[in-house]
């Protein structure tokens, strides 16, 4: 039997609109690794709760709904996709009801345990780039590559506002800042797996940096490692 090398895991954590998603997607594309957006799972659970009329602050009801739903995962064009009870929630994950409730769903310990287990199972899909809040600290603490992306709150609000204008054609930058700050606060202060700089993560402040520069730095570091261990 051939001796197989260990799969690469690149963990990219950071607060909302720190550049994680764009950077992670591009790094995955360039390296031909599978891209995993862990936030999509928490958003998926939130979408399901909203759709079923379950109050996200009612942990018992959310857990019951989670236990009754079936999640299936697949990789399409090197991107992790999933369905909940056979429905692909992708188009709804960034909607207003979901983004205003997702941080409340993500504090529920049982929800986190479920999502962490699903995320760890994705390692079976091969080399992966996973972005989130607790990837380098909880999901893959032994990942060879860990990054923590950050940016000033005003810069993050400007970026998210720009995205909202593109997707929804509206948005107020002050409201976006308030919403991001609220979500950051919940994410940073929750008891289980709060947003933090994982041990051993390289911190990159992306304020004023071009996305390409950040992507290139990560790709170069991974390639240097691949070449040295080939
Ligand atoms: O794109 P953005 O950073 O705004 O959000 P996201 O990555 O889709 O995550 C949405 C929310 O899910 C976060 O605000 C967290 O409350 C939660 N989340 C988490 O708790 N742990 C993760 N690994 C990923 C997301």
């Amino acid at each position: 039997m051939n001796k197989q090398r260990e799969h690469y895991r690149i963990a990219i954590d950071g607060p909302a609109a720190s550049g994680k998603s764009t950077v992670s997607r591009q790094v995955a594309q360039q390296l031909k690794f599978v891209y995993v957006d862990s936030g999509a799972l928490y958003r998926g659970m939130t979408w399901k709760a909203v759709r079923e009329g379950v109050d996200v602050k009612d942990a018992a009801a959310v857990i019951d709904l989670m236990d009754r739903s079936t999640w299936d995962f697949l990789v399409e064009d090197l991107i992790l996709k999933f369905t909940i009870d056979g429905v692909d929630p992708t188009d709804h994950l960034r909607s207003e009801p979901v983004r205003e409730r997702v941080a409340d769903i993500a504090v529920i310990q049982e929800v986190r345990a479920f999502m962490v287990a699903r995320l760890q199972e994705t390692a079976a899909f091969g080399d992966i780039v996973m972005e989130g809040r607790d990837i380098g600290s909880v999901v893959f603490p032994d990942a060879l590559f860990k990054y923590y992306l950050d940016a000033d709150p005003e810069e993050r609000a400007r970026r998210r506002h720009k995205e909202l204008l593109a997707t929804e054609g509206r948005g107020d930058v002050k409201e976006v800042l308030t919403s991001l700050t609220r979500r950051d606060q919940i994410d940073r202060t929750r008891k289980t797996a709060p947003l933090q700089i994982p041990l051993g993560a390289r911190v990159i402040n992306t304020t004023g940096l071009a996305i390409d520069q950040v992507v290139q730095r990560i790709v170069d570091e991974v390639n240097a490692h691949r070449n040295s261990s080939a």
Side-chain angles (χ1 to χ4, degrees), residues 15-17 99-100 103 133 151-158 160 172-189 195:
R99 69 173 171 261
E100 291 311 319
R133 300 286 189 290
D152 298 345
E154 290 72 20
E155 169 72 12
R156 295 195 283 116
R158 268 196 301 276
R160 190 46 55 91
D172 175 89
V173 76
K174 274 208 194 105
E175 269 173 34
V176 175
L177 180 61
T178 309
S179 166
L180 285 190
T181 310
R182 175 182 165 272
R183 195 142 59 83
D184 280 356
Q185 168 72 6
I186 301 176
D187 289 346
R188 287 200 166 102
T189 56
L195 170 67

Side-chain angles (χ1 to χ4, degrees), residues 10 30 33 40 49 58 80 86 102 111 130 132 145 163 175 181 201 214:
I10 305 179
Q30 290 200 23
F33 287 8
D58 183 347
L80 183 86
V102 61
V111 169
M130 188 179 290
F145 293 93
E163 283 170 19
E175 269 173 34
T181 310
V214 184

